[in-house]
Amino acid sequence: MTYYGNIREEELKLKVGEEFFAAYDRTAILGNVDFCIAARTTAAAGQLTFDYDRESFLWAESKRGTVELLDAFVQLILTIGKARTFDRYLPPAFLGAFDAEKIGFVPYSAVIDVFYQNDFNWNVTPSDHTTKEFQQLRELVERSFKQGSYVYHYATEAKELSAFIKANFKSNRQDVSCIRVTQNNFVSIYLKWRSAVMPTIAINWEHAKRQGILDADFYLADLLSEHDLTLKDKLNVVLRKMRYEVNRRIDEMGLFASSAAEFTDEQAKHTEFWHHYIRPPKRDYWDYIIERRDLLIPQDVRERKGSFFTPSVWVAKAQEYLAAALGENWQEEYYVWDCCAGTGNLEAGLVNKYRIWASTLDKSDVDVMLDRIANGANLLPSHVFQFDFLNGDFNDIPDGLKAIINDPEKRRKLVIFINPPYAEAATTRTKSGTGENKPGVAAHSLNRKYKPRIGAAVNELFALFLMRIHEEISGCVLAQFSTLKHLSAPNFQAFRDAFCGTLEKCFVVPADTFDNVKGQFPIGFFIWSWRDETKGTEGTEGTNADGKQEGVSHPMFNSSHVSHKSHKSQIPVPATAFSSAIADAYDNKDIFIGRKTIYAVSRDRVINTWLHGFFEQNNEPIGWLRFVPNDFQNNNGVFITLKPNESDVRESRVAAITRRNFFIIAIYNAVRHCIEHTWLNDRDQYLWPNDGWKSDREFQTDCLCYTIFSRSNNIKSADGVNHWIPFSEEEVEAQDAYESHFLLDYIAGRWRPEESEPGNAQLELLPMVAEETADYTAPIVFSPEAQAVFDAARPIWRYYHSQPDANPNASFYEIREHFQGRNSRGTMNADSPDATYTALLDAFKAAYKALSDKIEPKIYAYGFLLG
């Protein structure tokens, strides 16, 4: 029994407030946040407003009965993110969730990054726990909740709960008008600063942005100051009383020089704004605020550069793999250069600062690294420098690093350790998760240099980084984060032909564990070596135990260095064009979950090329297949319809479905949809199959059954004649005759092609003529698993046709729509209030899942996918 029983939610909020938060103001209503705890004020009687500067201790989600607090917590985050409550009110010290049994708290700082994701769709109903956004957010914050939450049960931990509240719900104010800046609120205060102070600074912001100077630099100069004097001299911009100093440098005469930016209103708005806040923040927060400067960088700048913050857990994992590849003492034997270092978080954990160099495009990032050095970061100031790797001259880098690159022997001991930018040149589409495609990528000089060799890959910044390293620092070790595009994408075949290296070790992790990256796909870490063309072969060619060419491997790679169990089975890939590799896979909790084989795929071996051989234009269509690129991430764009979009027709993204290619389309659709999408298979390519499927009648008929009842079958009688009805009028007690019996006739063997009927010669490979003795007049015999799907679907049709005004020609799509309805966004609901329909649908789903599980291994066996 719960502590408060099964009382209504409003009553629960009152009781929890009275028992545990009586000393605080609990009357505020902030948007759709259920429960707000704030410090008591001396506001005048009748004043009910809650100003932005009012300090909150807790925003919480409340639930009657007992629930899983994590789900309530995710709902709260969606509620806050959708309304951007943190823009209108100062964020609290804690977020929380409670029910009638328990209450949980999470520091706001532990989840602040979630609210600043690029391109996350906040426009969903927070209380709908079935949306993909809810599930995505749940996975993202689960670790923070489990590791950083404080949960108390009212019945057994009331004293501990009261003590926690008393110890942590304390005002940061020094007086009633001032708020202390913390790691929780520095981003939201920055947004206010942009509105109040930024317009009064006399500077051309667009011009400054092109020079790498951002408004965030001015805000940090303000924030880390006392009496209007910036306390950290190594910042890109500093405040000096009534003006800012920008672009500080030593000029040609050896004199200190800088540019000044003054205020347009004699600093009036600046003074008024900062009277509300206590600055600087406590020193405990300085390093965090400076390190997370990326949270203040405008999204357009962050996307243009393609820069994303590498989580510390994967930085440590990458260094672990380097140690496994190069030996435990690798940091004493090798040099390291991070040539796109950002603020230097890849260098955290490296120990020998005399062998580490870090460069970055923006001077402001260099200043941040120098500031971190002044506060204990393990780097040398002389080894941190500004350098445009894609356009710069290696003669402009520090002499020590230049000497290593110019010496073939030392270069063999150089590790290029990078997370290169992911920006892509402008095309007609947008990328999933890594920001929109960016104009300007193609403007790099390296683009023009390498395009004849690597083709479309020049549109990717990270590919240009890799090619310049391959071509101009040959013989080094390359350790890089990136997507898997350079290894598996068909349009990267020319890149793979040019980028011939030995892939020594690799691992993959979920992309959404990287800050500001949206989407369920893998990001990998890869350690490469290759021969130094100026010296000839570095190692010796040979064969492995299977007689396969082992290739040319870097001489310092030694399997005896391997200590982690997940590394042991990896065999280096030959130093030729990449074909395949086995990667260790880790989930978002850094738990080893198995291994993933990555394959290179060429354009002529993908499934859509195979499908083109079965296009049919000489017979009346019974529907249209919409098809898109060949990998898992695009499967939602594969569906069957009676009414194709005009742009799809114009751009040849649809194929007519006729009685001649009916089986082939069914196989294609089943192959594309029957295996569940995950982050790990997101970039897997569907391929031209081997011939095994041609003689497997059961596989073919299973695929036909799958497609008839597939959720990707969007046939609607409202769009035309429905030829896809699988049951006779008598079986389902339809209220009138159907307009078409095509599917029934097809299954019963009542369709026979005329010998003179026009059609594509390739269609002679169709299942019903795959063997010379095939009999068109024989009814199709379905497997027990497929028959079970028919048997489970039939009662749904029958129940639908018992409804008043049921449409006799209704498709399965329309039947689901009838019972499930649509929400305010026009999307079909996931469930139905009709209990009978729900029970019938659940039985159908179980049978359908069994059929999908049966089809899946044959998809791999017949080469539609590589395992």
Side-chain angles (χ1 to χ4, degrees), residues 682-695:
D682 180 83
R683 289 329 196 234
D684 287 3
Q685 301 282 332
Y686 292 92
L687 305 173
W688 186 306
N690 59 46
D691 289 341
W693 67 274
K694 294 180 182 178
S695 57

Side-chain angles (χ1 to χ4, degrees), residues 558-570:
N558 186 339
S559 61
S560 65
H561 293 146
V562 176
S563 58
H564 193 286
K565 66 178 181 180
S566 63
H567 303 151
K568 291 184 178 178
S569 70
Q570 294 188 343

Side-chain angles (χ1 to χ4, degrees), residues 626 628-638 672 682:
R626 200 247 188 187
V628 288
N630 305 275
D631 50 7
F632 263 90
Q633 66 173 319
N634 287 293
N635 278 351
N636 285 341
V638 175
R672 291 295 299 255
D682 180 83

Side-chain angles (χ1 to χ4, degrees), residues 204-214 301 304 362:
N204 184 319
W205 292 108
E206 287 302 315
H207 178 74
K209 185 189 295 186
R210 289 194 293 272
Q211 301 301 315
I213 299 170
L214 305 175
V301 175
R304 173 174 53 83
D362 294 325

Side-chain angles (χ1 to χ4, degrees), residues 360-506:
T360 186
L361 179 65
D362 294 325
K363 183 179 183 301
S364 56
D365 285 338
V366 172
D367 291 338
V368 169
M369 283 192 281
L370 293 175
D371 183 79
R372 293 179 63 191
I373 291 171
N375 287 275
N378 193 35
L379 296 168
L380 288 178
S382 59
H383 285 199
V384 174
F385 57 102
Q386 183 179 6
F387 184 65
D388 181 352
F389 187 82
L390 295 185
N391 295 299
D393 188 328
F394 284 167
N395 287 319
D396 296 332
I397 65 177
D399 290 341
L401 179 58
K402 183 165 43 178
I404 294 169
I405 291 176
N406 290 336
D407 185 327
E409 290 300 323
K410 289 184 177 179
R411 189 166 66 240
R412 288 155 56 124
K413 292 295 187 76
L414 174 63
V415 177
I416 306 293
F417 184 28
I418 55 173
N419 181 4
Y422 299 158
E424 181 179 327
T427 66
T428 58
R429 62 181 180 83
T430 58
K431 297 180 71 177
S432 171
T434 53
E436 294 183 353
N437 303 325
K438 300 294 171 283
V441 175
H444 286 284
S445 59
L446 293 184
N447 182 292
R448 296 184 293 274
K449 178 178 180 180
Y450 293 131
K451 188 168 186 177
R453 294 181 59 194
I454 66 175
V458 297
N459 293 330
E460 298 274 1
L461 281 182
F462 87 92
L464 295 178
F465 271 83
L466 268 53
M467 278 303 294
R468 187 173 195 194
I469 293 165
H470 179 273
E471 297 293 302
E472 301 184 40
I473 318 180
S474 176
C476 71
V477 176
L478 171 61
Q480 48 95 194
F481 286 92
S482 74
T483 64
L484 311 189
K485 184 178 291 187
H486 61 316
L487 302 185
S488 61
N491 62 348
F492 265 63
Q493 185 57 53
F495 174 88
R496 289 189 287 273
D497 291 340
F499 188 85
C500 296
T502 301
L503 181 54
E504 302 286 349
K505 293 191 180 299
C506 54

Side-chain angles (χ1 to χ4, degrees), residues 1-236:
M1 181 176 178
T2 62
Y3 184 75
Y4 287 112
N6 193 30
I7 60 177
R8 295 175 62 182
E9 186 175 314
E10 291 304 315
E11 185 179 358
L12 175 64
K13 289 190 285 186
L14 289 173
K15 288 185 177 295
V16 169
E18 290 172 359
E19 184 164 355
F20 297 104
F21 299 97
Y24 304 92
D25 181 356
R26 52 191 189 277
T27 63
I29 299 176
L30 307 187
N32 292 321
V33 176
D34 282 347
F35 190 73
C36 176
I37 297 298
R40 289 192 181 277
T41 68
T42 57
Q47 181 178 338
L48 299 178
T49 59
F50 193 96
D51 295 333
Y52 169 82
D53 291 341
R54 179 83 176 277
E55 188 173 19
S56 297
F57 300 129
L58 174 68
W59 294 350
E61 181 75 22
S62 60
K63 293 291 181 183
R64 65 178 297 179
T66 57
V67 299
E68 184 173 353
L69 289 188
L70 175 58
D71 288 337
F73 180 63
V74 173
Q75 182 174 332
L76 173 67
I77 291 178
L78 278 170
T79 300
I80 294 169
K82 182 176 183 179
R84 296 194 67 82
T85 313
F86 48 80
D87 285 348
R88 294 183 289 127
Y89 304 104
L90 196 66
F94 293 92
L95 297 181
F98 63 90
D99 58 18
E101 178 184 55
K102 58 194 175 296
I103 185 169
F105 306 90
V106 175
Y108 183 84
S109 60
V111 297
I112 187 173
D113 292 355
V114 171
F115 297 116
Y116 298 95
Q117 299 178 85
N118 287 345
D119 302 328
F120 182 80
N121 176 27
W122 292 102
N123 192 30
V124 295
T125 303
S127 59
D128 185 353
H129 295 192
T130 65
T131 64
K132 67 177 182 180
E133 288 80 7
F134 187 96
Q135 297 302 321
Q136 178 181 338
L137 200 56
R138 192 182 194 279
E139 293 178 6
L140 190 62
V141 303
E142 185 175 12
R143 174 187 288 186
S144 297
F145 183 81
K146 290 184 176 179
Q147 295 183 354
S149 63
Y150 304 86
V151 178
Y152 299 92
H153 288 72
Y154 311 126
T156 59
E157 298 172 303
K159 289 184 178 179
E160 291 83 352
L161 172 57
S162 296
F164 175 86
I165 294 169
K166 184 177 180 180
N168 291 281
F169 285 29
K170 295 179 178 179
S171 177
N172 279 320
R173 298 172 186 266
Q174 291 183 340
D175 56 58
V176 296
S177 64
C178 295
I179 298 168
R180 182 173 293 282
V181 182
T182 70
Q183 60 183 353
N184 292 337
N185 61 26
F186 81 98
V187 175
S188 58
I189 293 173
Y190 160 68
L191 297 175
K192 287 287 182 180
W193 179 93
R194 279 177 58 91
S195 298
V197 179
M198 180 179 165
T200 70
I201 302 173
I203 190 171
N204 184 319
W205 292 108
E206 287 302 315
H207 178 74
K209 185 189 295 186
R210 289 194 293 272
Q211 301 301 315
I213 299 170
L214 305 175
D215 57 272
D217 296 313
F218 288 80
Y219 172 69
L220 288 178
D222 278 1
L223 185 62
L224 301 177
S225 68
E226 190 172 26
H227 307 305
D228 285 342
L229 290 171
T230 301
L231 300 175
K232 299 180 77 64
D233 286 338
K234 295 187 181 297
L235 294 180
N236 201 25

Side-chain angles (χ1 to χ4, degrees), residues 216-403:
D217 296 313
F218 288 80
Y219 172 69
L220 288 178
D222 278 1
L223 185 62
L224 301 177
S225 68
E226 190 172 26
H227 307 305
D228 285 342
L229 290 171
T230 301
L231 300 175
K232 299 180 77 64
D233 286 338
K234 295 187 181 297
L235 294 180
N236 201 25
V237 177
V238 296
L239 177 63
R240 291 290 181 256
K241 291 296 185 181
M242 296 188 68
R243 67 177 188 174
Y244 298 95
E245 289 184 356
V246 187
N247 192 25
R248 297 175 302 138
R249 64 200 182 280
I250 303 298
D251 65 16
E252 298 83 356
M253 298 177 62
L255 300 176
F256 179 83
S258 66
S259 302
E262 300 188 347
F263 296 95
T264 60
D265 64 347
E266 297 184 348
Q267 209 172 359
K269 287 289 186 181
H270 180 274
T271 302
E272 178 184 337
F273 179 84
W274 286 112
H275 274 168
H276 295 287
Y277 303 98
I278 298 171
R279 55 179 176 137
K282 292 181 180 179
R283 281 193 172 270
D284 294 348
Y285 303 139
W286 287 18
D287 288 344
Y288 175 83
I289 290 172
I290 292 173
E291 183 177 347
R292 294 319 314 270
R293 171 182 174 271
D294 63 298
L295 294 175
L296 308 177
I297 297 175
Q299 181 172 320
D300 66 316
V301 175
R302 196 160 54 225
E303 289 181 349
R304 173 174 53 83
K305 296 176 182 176
S307 56
F308 298 96
F309 192 82
T310 311
S312 58
V313 62
W314 306 136
V315 173
K317 183 68 65 180
Q319 293 177 14
E320 172 190 333
Y321 272 64
L322 281 166
L326 301 175
E328 293 183 2
N329 296 321
W330 75 279
Q331 294 193 55
E332 300 302 320
E333 300 174 10
Y334 283 78
Y335 305 97
V336 176
W337 181 19
D338 181 353
C339 57
C340 41
T343 57
N345 68 310
L346 276 189
E347 285 60 68
L350 298 180
V351 297
N352 192 340
K353 62 184 178 182
Y354 297 99
R355 303 178 77 92
I356 304 168
W357 280 264
S359 63
T360 186
L361 179 65
D362 294 325
K363 183 179 183 301
S364 56
D365 285 338
V366 172
D367 291 338
V368 169
M369 283 192 281
L370 293 175
D371 183 79
R372 293 179 63 191
I373 291 171
N375 287 275
N378 193 35
L379 296 168
L380 288 178
S382 59
H383 285 199
V384 174
F385 57 102
Q386 183 179 6
F387 184 65
D388 181 352
F389 187 82
L390 295 185
N391 295 299
D393 188 328
F394 284 167
N395 287 319
D396 296 332
I397 65 177
D399 290 341
L401 179 58
K402 183 165 43 178

